[in-house]
Amino acid sequence: SNLAELPSCRLHIAIQTQMIEQMTSAMLSPSYSLFCASIVISTLLSLSYTHETHKYLTSPPIIHGVLAVCKKITNHISLGAQAVVIKYFTTLFFSIIATATTDCVTDEGFSYFLEEILSFMQRFLREYTYEEVREAEKMTGFFWTTYKPFVNLIYFNYERHLDSDLVKEKPLVKDLYLTSICAGIFSLKNMCLSDQMQDILEKEKLTDFLLCLPWYVPNDLKVDARMMVQLMSEKVKPNPPMLMNIVKARLATLYMPLDEVMSPSFTDKIHHRLYELSN
């Protein structure tokens, strides 16, 4: 699980498909505790932060194992905080996979379980508040070290995908996309309650992009996005976003993932082009 948090290790772990499938299968064994299941789910979530891993994480045995564990614990309120965290991580895992590329949604494993995946995610978002999830994280000792995958998730180009052949062929995909973005906003509202929030936002240079979110999310989610910004502003006291970052945020909603427009190479290209135009 710790190695999965290192970007340089994620792909090397994910390509061990047989090992990952055995891990997810083992979660269903009566001899394995909920703690073991939470380690497996958090590992899958960490692996999903790197896009190149996704095609290895959507095989039918892996998706089936994850859903089976969640189904097993869904009706057992007595299982407490550990169960909440497992369902939360699973929702985020599915959300990141769903909005990464159309290849993942059409993959055999994800596509076969699409209706079940969407139903699970929507049920989780109905049944829990971000405050309850934060309390469950405290009780299980979990803390976040990065917010970037979830900000990147919310900047998914929802409008552009509505006219895609995939959405026309599978109408449920539209709901999957919207639910995934909703889960991303939910996660950031939860993270706004963390004591580490300000340090992580500064380290990853995300504050401006969170401030811009209400302008660019789908209309149905603008109220939630404004609430998230309000929660963040109560702790961070941010300045207005820089013009450069407003432009980057807009580009992220139109043409390319946010992590690409935030990359140093992209920034260098923009600065070079602006320098050329000014001379």
Side-chain angles (χ1 to χ4, degrees):
S1 178
N2 290 336
L3 287 175
E5 294 183 13
L6 301 175
S8 60
C9 293
R10 289 174 189 149
L11 186 57
H12 296 291
I13 297 173
I15 61 177
Q16 308 297 322
T17 307
Q18 186 175 3
M19 179 189 71
I20 302 293
E21 290 179 356
Q22 288 172 347
M23 286 169 54
T24 53
S25 175
M27 290 191 298
L28 299 173
S29 170
S31 61
Y32 277 73
S33 66
L34 272 186
F35 175 74
C36 294
S38 70
I39 294 297
V40 174
I41 299 295
S42 66
T43 298
L44 292 175
L45 177 59
S46 295
L47 292 176
S48 75
Y49 297 165
T50 296
H51 290 181
E52 290 78 9
T53 67
H54 293 174
K55 62 183 178 181
Y56 302 104
L57 302 178
T58 53
S59 70
I62 292 175
I63 300 298
H64 168 72
V66 171
L67 286 171
V69 167
C70 291
K71 188 180 295 185
K72 185 177 177 181
I73 64 178
T74 290
N75 298 317
H76 294 275
I77 299 175
S78 61
L79 295 178
Q82 204 79 62
V84 175
V85 168
I86 289 173
K87 290 187 281 188
Y88 178 47
F89 290 174
T90 300
T91 299
L92 295 180
F93 170 69
F94 286 145
S95 298
I96 290 175
I97 295 288
T99 54
T101 65
T102 55
D103 291 342
C104 292
V105 179
T106 56
D107 185 84
E108 180 186 2
F110 209 97
S111 179
Y112 181 81
F113 293 104
L114 178 58
E115 187 173 351
E116 191 174 350
I117 289 171
L118 178 59
S119 176
F120 169 79
M121 293 167 64
Q122 290 175 333
R123 179 173 179 176
F124 175 83
L125 293 171
R126 284 196 309 269
E127 291 185 349
Y128 295 95
T129 66
Y130 63 92
E131 295 98 335
E132 289 172 331
V133 170
R134 182 63 197 138
E135 285 305 310
E137 288 177 340
K138 287 181 182 177
M139 292 174 68
T140 56
F142 182 84
F143 61 92
W144 294 97
T145 58
T146 180
Y147 295 172
K148 189 172 287 187
F150 309 103
V151 180
N152 195 57
L153 160 62
I154 301 171
Y155 271 96
F156 171 73
N157 192 330
Y158 174 72
E159 300 293 340
R160 185 163 65 89
H161 283 78
L162 292 184
D163 294 326
S164 68
D165 292 338
L166 178 60
V167 171
K168 293 173 183 175
E169 180 186 345
K170 300 185 178 208
L172 277 181
V173 172
K174 176 183 176 181
D175 295 332
L176 176 67
Y177 287 155
L178 195 62
T179 302
S180 297
I181 299 171
C182 185
I185 296 175
F186 181 102
S187 72
L188 288 176
K189 287 195 289 187
N190 162 45
M191 292 170 191
C192 283
L193 303 180
S194 168
D195 294 334
Q196 291 82 31
M197 183 197 68
Q198 185 167 356
D199 291 339
I200 295 175
L201 289 182
E202 291 176 358
K203 176 185 174 183
E204 299 190 314
K205 298 180 172 58
L206 292 172
T207 304
D208 282 4
F209 297 100
L210 264 64
L211 290 172
C212 293
L213 271 175
W215 304 338
Y216 301 132
V217 295
N219 290 332
D220 293 348
L221 302 179
K222 287 187 183 295
V223 172
D224 272 349
R226 292 190 191 104
M227 183 186 299
M228 182 276 299
V229 170
Q230 182 178 347
L231 287 170
M232 179 193 73
S233 300
E234 289 173 0
K235 281 196 172 184
V236 176
K237 310 298 184 207
N239 294 316
M242 295 171 57
L243 179 59
M244 172 68 81
N245 289 336
I246 294 174
V247 172
K248 287 182 178 180
R250 184 56 178 162
L251 289 173
T253 62
L254 293 175
Y255 303 112
M256 62 191 72
L258 181 66
D259 52 3
E260 286 188 27
V261 301
M262 289 183 67
S263 67
S265 59
F266 180 86
T267 303
D268 290 343
K269 289 177 184 176
I270 293 293
H271 286 157
H272 181 68
R273 183 59 178 154
L274 290 175
Y275 177 79
E276 288 179 340
L277 292 173
S278 64
N279 288 284

